[in-house]
Amino acid sequence: MFVVLLKFAENRSRAGQFMDGHKSWIQKGLADGVFLVVGSLQPNLGGAVLAHGVTREDLQARVDQDPFVIEGIVSAEIIEISPGQTDPRLEFLKA
């Protein structure tokens, strides 16, 4: 399981120009079943993605395709988590 932090960077002011592409990138990740949760970092710091069922290398390649990353609107950090205990509803994360 991975947490991807997408923190606003120097080109943040250009976000509006690339928002449609960024939203399409998010929708593809959700449709592919790789992204489980996508949301905003508060207060207005960027975004975060919870990803599962993918290798770090494949996730990095996917993150590198985000228009926000390509255009320097956000910087991306991938954090890997090895779940040890979960709520029963989230058992699938331990696989």
Side-chain angles (χ1 to χ4, degrees):
M1 179 173 78
F2 300 92
V3 174
V4 181
L5 300 176
L6 302 170
K7 295 183 180 179
F8 282 125
E10 63 186 62
N11 289 334
R12 174 184 184 164
S13 63
R14 298 178 60 209
Q17 297 172 1
F18 299 95
M19 185 61 74
D20 288 344
H22 177 66
K23 286 181 179 180
S24 292
W25 175 80
I26 290 170
Q27 289 307 313
K28 179 161 177 32
L30 290 167
D32 290 346
V34 173
F35 296 170
L36 300 178
V37 177
V38 178
S40 298
L41 295 174
Q42 298 302 321
N44 201 24
L45 298 174
V49 177
L50 179 61
H52 180 259
V54 65
T55 65
R56 176 181 276 279
E57 294 77 20
D58 288 345
L59 181 58
Q60 183 67 62
R62 184 180 291 267
V63 167
D64 290 344
Q65 294 173 359
D66 179 0
F68 274 18
V69 172
I70 293 168
E71 297 298 328
I73 294 163
V74 297
S75 63
E77 178 183 4
I78 298 174
I79 301 167
E80 187 169 359
I81 300 170
S82 299
Q85 298 180 30
T86 63
D87 179 284
R89 295 170 292 177
L90 300 176
E91 279 294 311
F92 70 95
L93 293 174
K94 290 171 43 177

